[in-house]
């Protein structure tokens, strides 16, 4: 007799529900109304008389069973919810603590059509990639196609994944990273690896990427692996060591023929085509050289079996179901340099030009480091006086780059870090490694003395504008998050804003600065503590731009410093502009200097990357291409110049970055 999953049977003097089984000779049974701990198996070839299995059914009701309507309705609902996992196409639906949106079922259907799951989910920030991936894991577990799964993510996201798995799916996952490994090993009996002992794991990618752990994990990892923030594992030309190790880990994992793999990111394309192709190659080696901009219809159709990317507008109305997302009020605020700051900038520019000029004394690595030092110094000083002072102080230490010593990053360390490692530290180590002449030391001291006088609302209109914007938003009942590039800038902005806002709101406001100086757990605790106040202002670095959800406490984002990567803008804004945001409107604004050439250069890089993303994916990034920011560093008459720029798309001015 064949017993299908979901059938009601009788054995051992009680009723059971048949569960999926990997072996046709083994009937897996769960007691009717029982828990998963009571699941048992009966091996049919043994033919034990007491284990005889027969079909069962509920007795038909009679007049004696008649009750009131409310109790009958309660019983009906309970029975329907209890048994829908055995009656519907998806066995996991009855065991979830949330109701998935209809669009979130698409990746699950795509996965179930594949014999070996290779899926790249690149949905927009805030749409719900976490539940989408865990739905697949839960369904595979219920179908007994897998018995274990692991989530591999950056270390600061481990705790959040563990909470999601427990709260939404009722599974207790362990976190495996450097500070938990010893405790987990003590709980294991026998000579068993931690990777094979625990069925549900959340693993720090930086913990297992090292050579001594990578091979052990690859050999003993669960059947299904979910890789979060997969863009941090890309492998372009000139990748740094950290990025290369991450890519090597995922590449070796993807090389296992039977390994199920789900890759997640809201920002799959950083504007560099080679990075994106390296990620596609993890799905299928044929995709490694695929150029989406010129791909054929058949190539795109094949990729579509494994790659899903939807923007918010695509899922707001899906299969007759509406999903409410806030409207995004996006734009930019411009500020001008004061005469004092402009004079400082001109001297800084002269000093930077001298550093960047090639010379006989500085060659190879040394010359490259001096060029990056010049760029780092200009970015830091134009971010805030405090960030600039920190870099100049380090420069005065006059540490030398030892002969033969090389910068092992392979990429410009001044560019924003997309590998998830300390993204908010001022790159002052560049100045430490530079060799200074006596004349350069004098110039550094002069610059430092000038910069020390600029840290106030009168001379720094950037922070003054930020204070005015935040004050206006607070009056409009918006609670803002201000994202800064450097730790020193965050503390500088936080200090001046706190002094300014407390004059207006007394103690009825909570203003906090959060950076990577605090551990992950402390950051979350400090954010949660802000719930007590009705007015909240958070000044943060990019350590909070990924993973953490801020939609319950904040409703607006101000980009105090511009990143090089448009994906970083989207990640920042996605902390508050996501599903679950109660405010109907979320503000997301850039703050840039219209006569600040550094901002102009960054905007040029951003725009170039936006265009490359649009060419490859046919998806527009939320970046104001046709706005005032596109003429940021041109010295032409701006009103006329910008109108010309919009129509011609190119500026003929020799002084313009465009």
């Amino acid at each position: 007799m064949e017993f299908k999953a979901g059938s009601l049977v009788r054995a051992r003097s009680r009723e059971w529900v048949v569960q999926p089984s990997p072996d046709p000779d083994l009937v897996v049974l769960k007691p009717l109304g029982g828990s998963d701990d009571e699941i048992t198996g009966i091996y049919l070839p043994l033919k034990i008389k007491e284990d005889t299995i027969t079909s069962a059914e509920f007795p038909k009701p009679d007049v004696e069973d008649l009750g009131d309507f409310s109790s009958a309705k309660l019983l009906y609902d309970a029975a329907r919810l209890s048994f829908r996992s055995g009656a519907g196409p998806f066995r996991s639906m009855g065991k979830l603590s949330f109701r998935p949106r209809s669009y979130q079922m698409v990746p699950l259907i795509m996965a179930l059509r594949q014999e070996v799951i290779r899926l790249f989910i690149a949905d927009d920030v805030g749409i719900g990639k976490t539940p989408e991936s865990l739905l697949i894991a839960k369904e595979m577990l219920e179908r007994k196609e897998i018995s274990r799964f692991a989530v591999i993510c950056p270390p600061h996201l481990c705790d959040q994944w563990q909470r999601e798995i427990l709260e939404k799916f009722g599974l207790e996952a362990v976190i495996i990273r450097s500070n938990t490994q010893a405790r987990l090993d003590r709980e294991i009996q026998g000579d068993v690896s931690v990777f094979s002992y625990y069925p549900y794991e959340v693993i720090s990618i930086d913990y297992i990427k090292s050579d001594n752990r990578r091979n052990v994990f690859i050999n003993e990892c669960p059947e299904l692996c979910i890789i979060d923030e997969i863009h941090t594992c890309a492998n372009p030309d000139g990748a740094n060591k950290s990025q290369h190790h991450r890519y090597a880990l995922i590449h070796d994992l993807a090389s296992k023929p039977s390994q199920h793999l789900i890759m997640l990111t809201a920002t799959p394309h950083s504007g560099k085509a080679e990075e994106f192709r390296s990620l596609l190659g993890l799905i299928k080696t044929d995709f490694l050289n695929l150029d989406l901009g010129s791909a054929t219809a058949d190539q795109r159709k094949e990729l579509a079996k494994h790659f899903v990317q939807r923007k918010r507008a695509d899922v707001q109305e899906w299969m007759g179901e509406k999903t409410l997302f806030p409207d995004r009020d996006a734009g930019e605020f411009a500020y001008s340099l004061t005469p004092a700051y402009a004079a400082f900038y001109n001297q800084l520019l002269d000093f930077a030009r001298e550093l960047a000029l090639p010379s006989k004394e500085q060659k190879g690595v040394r010359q490259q480091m001096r060029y990056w030092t010049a760029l780092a110094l200009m970015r830091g000083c134009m971010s805030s006086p405090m960030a600039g002072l920190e870099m100049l102080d380090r420069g005065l230490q006059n540490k030398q780059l030892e002969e033969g010593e090389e910068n092992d990053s392979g990429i410009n360390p001044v560019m924003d870090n997309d590998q998830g490692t300390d993204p908010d530290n001022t790159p002052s180590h560049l100045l430490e490694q530079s060799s200074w002449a006596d004349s350069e030391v004098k110039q550094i001291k002069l610059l430092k003395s000038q910069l020390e006088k600029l840290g106030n609302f009168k001379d720094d209109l950037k922070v003054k504008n930020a204070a005015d914007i935040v004050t206006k938003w607070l009056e409009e009942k918006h609670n803002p998050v201000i994202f800064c590039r450097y730790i020193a800038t965050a503390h500088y902005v936080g200090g001046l804003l706190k002094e300014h806002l407390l004059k207006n709101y007394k103690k009825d406001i909570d203003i906090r600065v959060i950076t990577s100086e605090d551990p992950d757990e402390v950051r979350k605790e400090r954010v949660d503590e802000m719930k007590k106040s009705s007015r909240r202002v958070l000044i943060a670095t990019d350590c909070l731009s990924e993973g953490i959800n801020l939609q319950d406490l904040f409703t607006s984002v101000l980009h105090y410093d511009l990143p090089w990567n448009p994906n970083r803008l989207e990640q920042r804004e996605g902390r508050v502009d996501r599903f679950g945001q109660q405010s109907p409107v979320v503000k997301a604004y850039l703050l840039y200097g219209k006569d600040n050439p550094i901002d102009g250069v960054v905007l040029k890089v951003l725009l170039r990357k936006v265009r490359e993303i649009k060419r490859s994916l046919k998806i527009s990034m939320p970046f104001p291409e046709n706005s005032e920011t596109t003429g940021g560093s041109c010295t032409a008459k701006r009103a006329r110049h910008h109108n010309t720029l919009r129509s011609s798309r190119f500026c003929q001015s020799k002084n313009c970055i465009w």
Side-chain angles (χ1 to χ4, degrees):
M1 186 174 182
E2 183 179 354
F3 301 100
K4 294 183 178 180
S7 303
L8 184 65
V9 299
R10 184 172 180 81
R12 300 179 181 177
S13 302
R14 64 186 302 186
E15 281 72 32
W16 308 74
V17 178
V18 179
Q19 305 295 299
S21 173
D23 187 345
D25 289 331
L26 178 66
V27 181
V28 180
L29 303 174
K30 179 180 178 181
L32 188 61
S35 65
D36 289 345
D37 293 336
E38 299 176 272
I39 291 177
T40 189
I42 296 179
Y43 192 56
L44 297 179
L46 295 179
K47 297 183 180 180
I48 299 174
K49 184 177 181 181
E50 290 77 8
D51 287 345
T52 301
I53 304 174
T54 59
S55 296
E57 61 182 17
F58 291 111
K60 295 180 179 179
D62 56 30
V63 69
E64 299 294 332
D65 299 318
L66 187 63
D68 61 89
F69 176 78
S70 60
S71 60
K73 182 69 164 57
L74 183 63
L75 177 63
Y76 168 78
D77 289 340
R80 180 170 60 87
L81 292 172
S82 298
F83 296 112
R84 67 177 179 174
S85 61
F90 305 114
R91 298 192 55 79
S92 61
M93 291 298 106
K95 300 181 180 180
L96 307 178
S97 62
F98 72 104
R99 179 177 176 268
R101 313 298 294 177
S102 57
Y103 68 82
Q104 292 177 331
M105 304 300 294
V106 172
L108 173 58
I109 295 171
M110 292 174 63
L112 294 178
R113 289 177 175 174
Q114 301 176 19
E115 184 175 346
V116 177
I117 297 175
R118 292 295 168 92
L119 204 58
F120 196 153
I121 304 176
D123 285 343
D124 205 356
V125 175
I127 284 182
K129 293 178 294 299
T130 297
E132 287 175 350
S133 61
L134 291 176
L135 271 173
I136 298 171
K138 183 68 171 176
E139 184 66 22
M140 296 288 283
L141 287 170
E142 293 298 320
R143 293 177 178 230
K144 306 301 181 187
E145 295 187 25
I146 63 171
S147 59
R148 302 181 298 134
F149 74 88
V151 175
I152 303 172
C153 62
H156 65 281
L157 300 182
C158 290
D159 295 294
Q160 181 167 316
W161 270 99
Q162 186 186 45
R163 287 193 301 272
E164 289 283 321
I165 294 170
L166 179 61
E167 293 172 2
K168 289 186 170 64
F169 297 88
L171 302 175
E172 295 187 3
V174 298
I175 294 177
I176 303 176
R177 57 188 176 194
S178 56
N179 62 347
T180 64
Q181 175 75 55
R183 176 180 58 81
L184 294 175
D185 284 337
R186 288 194 297 269
E187 295 175 359
I188 298 174
Q189 297 179 354
D191 187 17
V192 182
S193 166
V194 66
F195 303 122
S196 60
Y197 182 80
Y198 295 98
Y200 317 126
E201 306 165 359
V202 179
I203 309 173
S204 163
I205 189 169
D206 290 331
Y207 178 72
I208 59 169
K209 71 183 181 184
S210 60
D211 293 335
N212 59 330
R213 297 190 187 99
R214 184 178 70 208
N215 293 335
V216 176
F217 173 74
I218 291 172
N219 290 332
E220 302 182 7
C221 69
E223 305 98 312
L224 171 65
C225 287
I226 299 170
I227 320 297
D228 194 19
E229 306 296 353
I230 189 65
H231 63 274
T232 67
C233 305
N235 189 48
D237 292 337
N240 62 24
K241 288 183 178 180
S242 174
Q243 195 173 4
H244 176 73
H245 286 161
R246 289 185 176 192
Y247 177 80
L249 167 68
I250 307 304
H251 178 270
D252 292 348
L253 199 59
S255 299
K256 297 174 66 176
S258 60
Q259 180 68 52
H260 301 295
L261 208 60
I262 303 173
M263 303 188 299
L264 310 178
T265 179
T267 51
H269 203 309
S270 66
K272 299 178 181 178
E274 64 273 15
E275 286 190 9
F276 183 57
R277 286 196 294 268
S278 73
L279 296 179
L280 293 182
L282 297 174
I283 303 173
K284 205 174 183 179
T285 53
D286 294 346
F287 298 151
L288 192 58
N289 298 315
L290 179 63
D291 180 11
L292 281 180
S294 58
T296 65
D298 289 339
Q299 287 175 322
R300 285 182 169 270
K301 186 175 181 181
E302 181 62 26
L303 179 60
K305 297 177 182 178
H306 304 272
F307 183 83
V308 54
Q309 181 177 29
R310 295 165 295 180
K311 305 300 285 183
R312 190 167 301 179
D314 300 328
V315 300
Q316 284 183 321
E317 290 194 32
W318 186 279
M319 303 288 290
E321 180 184 48
K322 282 191 175 183
T323 302
L324 297 179
F325 292 102
D327 293 329
R328 183 180 295 188
D329 176 13
E332 61 276 346
F333 294 108
Y335 70 92
S336 300
L337 297 177
T338 62
Y341 222 125
F344 166 78
Y345 171 77
N346 289 331
Q347 291 199 30
L348 176 67
L349 182 60
D350 291 339
F351 179 62
R353 282 173 175 163
E354 291 178 10
L355 290 181
L357 288 176
S359 65
K360 295 180 179 179
E361 294 79 13
Q362 308 292 343
K363 296 182 179 179
V365 173
R366 288 179 179 272
Q367 181 58 41
Q368 184 185 55
M369 291 299 296
R370 287 173 67 85
Y371 174 80
W372 285 342
T373 296
L375 182 55
L377 186 58
M378 294 186 70
R379 279 206 77 187
C381 290
M382 302 313 288
S383 171
S384 71
M386 193 64 68
L389 284 171
E390 180 181 291
M391 299 181 71
L392 291 170
D393 280 335
R394 293 293 185 94
L396 289 175
Q397 295 178 20
N398 199 25
K399 293 189 177 180
Q400 304 288 324
L401 183 67
E402 297 298 332
E403 192 68 35
E405 182 183 353
E406 294 185 355
N407 170 37
D408 65 358
S409 67
I411 58 174
N412 189 334
V414 184
M415 296 294 186
D416 290 302
N417 190 306
D418 289 319
Q419 285 75 58
T421 54
D422 298 330
D424 57 2
N425 286 318
T426 305
S428 51
H429 63 280
L430 294 175
L431 277 78
E432 292 177 0
Q433 294 177 339
S434 295
S435 177
W436 305 111
D438 292 340
S439 59
E440 292 172 338
V441 172
K442 291 181 181 179
Q443 287 180 283
I444 291 175
K445 289 181 178 180
L446 178 61
L447 290 171
K448 184 173 178 292
S449 65
Q450 288 182 290
L451 199 56
E452 287 172 342
K453 303 174 184 178
L454 301 178
N456 56 73
F457 282 147
K458 178 184 176 182
D459 295 313
D460 186 1
L461 291 185
K462 183 178 182 180
V463 72
K464 176 64 168 60
N465 274 260
D468 293 341
I469 294 165
V470 169
T471 301
K472 182 181 178 182
W473 284 357
L474 288 170
E475 291 173 355
E476 297 172 352
K477 307 299 182 184
H478 279 279
N479 293 319
V481 182
I482 303 173
F483 279 105
C484 303
R485 174 68 180 87
Y486 306 120
I487 291 176
T489 299
H491 287 298
Y492 167 75
V493 173
L496 289 179
L497 275 185
K498 192 168 186 177
E499 181 182 347
H500 175 75
L501 294 174
L502 285 178
K503 294 178 182 177
N504 299 330
Y505 298 105
K506 306 301 179 183
K507 294 183 179 180
D508 188 27
I509 188 171
D510 193 347
I511 306 166
R512 302 201 182 199
V513 177
I514 297 180
T515 71
S516 63
E517 295 168 303
D518 297 321
D520 298 334
E521 305 80 20
V522 175
R523 293 179 213 165
K524 185 179 185 305
E525 288 176 6
R526 296 188 63 202
V527 171
D528 290 341
E529 289 171 357
M530 299 183 76
K531 295 177 181 177
K532 302 173 184 177
S533 178
S534 59
R535 291 187 179 93
R536 299 176 285 268
V537 179
L538 175 61
I539 301 96
T541 54
D542 283 318
C543 68
L544 291 187
S545 67
E546 292 182 355
I548 190 168
N549 298 333
L550 302 174
Q551 73 271 21
D552 294 332
L553 299 177
F554 301 96
T555 57
S556 56
V557 171
L558 178 65
H559 302 282
Y560 191 82
D561 290 324
L562 300 178
W564 293 103
N565 197 323
N567 290 337
R568 180 66 66 188
L569 293 174
E570 184 68 3
Q571 289 283 5
R572 290 173 174 179
E573 295 167 8
R575 298 311 98 215
V576 299
D577 187 6
R578 58 192 302 113
F579 180 69
Q581 172 62 257
Q582 297 302 306
S583 174
V585 177
V586 166
K587 293 181 178 291
Y589 277 74
L590 308 174
L591 182 61
Y592 77 99
K594 57 186 177 183
D595 53 357
N596 179 352
I598 296 299
D599 282 355
V601 172
V602 176
L603 287 165
K604 180 179 179 180
V605 174
L606 283 170
L607 186 56
R608 174 175 54 80
K609 291 183 177 181
V610 165
R611 288 171 174 166
E612 175 59 28
I613 293 170
K614 187 174 181 179
R615 186 191 76 83
S616 296
L617 298 181
K618 310 302 184 203
I619 288 178
S620 298
M621 295 293 294
F623 180 75
E625 181 170 344
N626 294 322
S627 70
E628 296 295 317
T629 57
T630 54
S633 66
C634 184
T635 57
K637 296 248 183 181
R638 285 188 170 76
R640 249 194 349 262
H641 168 71
H642 291 155
N643 290 332
T644 303
L645 179 61
R646 288 193 190 99
S647 60
S648 68
R649 297 183 65 81
F650 293 98
C651 175
Q652 304 304 317
S653 171
K654 294 181 180 179
N655 296 320
C656 184
I657 60 172
W658 305 111

